[in-house]
Amino acid sequence: MSKLVEFVAADRFVDAQLWWVASELCRRHPWLSLTETEFDEVGTVLEAVGNIEGREVRVGFSRTAGIAIKDRDFHVPLPELFVQVNPHEVLKRIELAHGMGKPDDTPPTNGTTIGYRSIAHILNAMVNSRYSWTLRGERVSDPHVLADLSWMGAASEWPTMLGLKMRWNEYNVLGALYETAPTQAWLLMRDLEPIAVFDRYGEVHMSHGKADLLQVYREQGSNLTRAVDRVLGEWMK
């Protein structure tokens, strides 16, 4: 009988599942937003952050450490995440452990959460793609988005980014640009090639232009699969 070996999931499976849980948590609690943080111990961590009744909320999603809540005795290791019969149970456990409560009704998808949900959908749909699909979000250590977007690589020069910068500038003048988590945009890459930039206003930017993803979602009867396919399906073949 062959020797049993420890099961270790490839990053593409881990990323897809962590993003799904994180995006659904923000969908259920729109006052949360996602950001990307770097830690010496565990590397890059996706975090759902926000405030509830004046208390800071930080739920971390790590490729190496699993899911944890800051200042709470709560931890879901990766193997446990993958054996869940119903992944919604993890969401309920996070809500219970933190005390944020369960929404009576799931709030409607908004400009920010449509981006999160679309990213999670793409990562899950492309888990067996011949390409690698990765995300890079704006980080606290990055220059201000109005000063330097070099972390986006070639995407920083796409035609619609100028308009996005103008929108950021308006929010900056109003003092509202960084009222929530610092991540203003997420860069989706296929084999490290920039494919799309998801902003916080429901739009997705591509090399040839942009699309109002939230509007397309509504036009498609709030069907996420059809909306993502309509906007980004050409890249997902």
Side-chain angles (χ1 to χ4, degrees):
M1 183 175 180
S2 59
K3 182 180 179 181
L4 294 177
V5 296
E6 181 182 0
F7 171 74
V8 179
D11 286 346
R12 67 184 188 278
F13 294 106
V14 177
D15 289 348
Q17 196 64 14
L18 290 178
W19 260 95
W20 184 86
V21 177
S23 67
E24 285 297 303
L25 185 64
C26 291
R27 181 189 184 192
R28 291 162 67 91
H29 302 277
W31 43 268
L32 290 175
S33 54
L34 296 179
T35 188
E36 189 171 86
T37 310
E38 292 181 288
F39 296 95
D40 292 337
E41 301 84 359
V42 295
T44 301
V45 175
L46 180 67
E47 287 190 287
V49 302
N51 284 277
I52 179 170
E53 297 179 352
R55 293 175 295 154
E56 181 188 36
V57 179
R58 288 179 64 178
V59 183
F61 302 84
S62 166
R63 280 180 175 178
T64 57
I67 303 174
I69 304 176
K70 182 182 179 182
D71 299 328
R72 295 288 193 282
D73 184 17
F74 177 83
H75 178 225
V76 178
L78 293 177
E80 187 176 335
L81 179 65
F82 280 93
V83 298
Q84 293 294 321
V85 175
N86 183 350
H88 284 89
E89 290 302 317
V90 176
L91 288 168
K92 296 175 183 177
R93 287 173 58 188
I94 293 172
E95 292 170 335
L96 180 62
H98 178 269
M100 66 180 69
K102 171 187 174 183
D104 294 329
D105 297 298
T106 302
T109 295
N110 59 35
T112 300
T113 56
I114 187 63
Y116 300 160
R117 294 184 63 206
S118 297
I119 289 170
H121 178 85
I122 292 168
L123 292 181
N124 275 278
M126 294 292 99
V127 75
N128 287 315
S129 170
R130 63 182 182 276
Y131 305 106
S132 66
W133 293 80
T134 54
L135 268 296
R136 167 64 155 92
E138 180 203 4
R139 302 170 183 170
V140 175
S141 57
D142 290 326
H144 195 287
V145 289
L146 295 178
D148 185 2
L149 290 179
S150 59
W151 63 268
M152 287 188 181
S156 65
E157 302 299 325
W158 289 348
T160 63
M161 296 309 294
L162 179 59
L164 180 56
K165 288 181 183 178
M166 292 174 64
R167 192 168 191 175
W168 281 336
N169 186 65
E170 292 175 4
Y171 277 86
N172 194 56
V173 170
L174 296 172
L177 184 60
Y178 285 103
E179 279 187 346
T180 54
T183 301
Q184 298 300 313
W186 292 92
L187 173 66
L188 175 69
M189 294 173 284
R190 187 182 69 176
D191 281 353
L192 300 182
E193 175 192 359
I195 296 299
V197 173
F198 296 83
D199 65 27
R200 293 175 58 175
Y201 314 114
E203 295 184 332
V204 56
H205 304 257
M206 297 154 284
S207 60
H208 61 277
K210 68 177 182 179
D212 188 332
L213 189 56
L214 183 59
Q215 182 61 35
V216 174
Y217 172 73
R218 290 168 176 165
E219 291 172 352
Q220 296 299 317
S222 298
N223 185 301
L224 184 65
T225 299
R226 289 204 300 260
V228 171
D229 183 68
R230 183 78 174 270
V231 175
L232 291 163
E234 182 63 29
W235 295 103
M236 297 169 61
K237 295 179 179 179

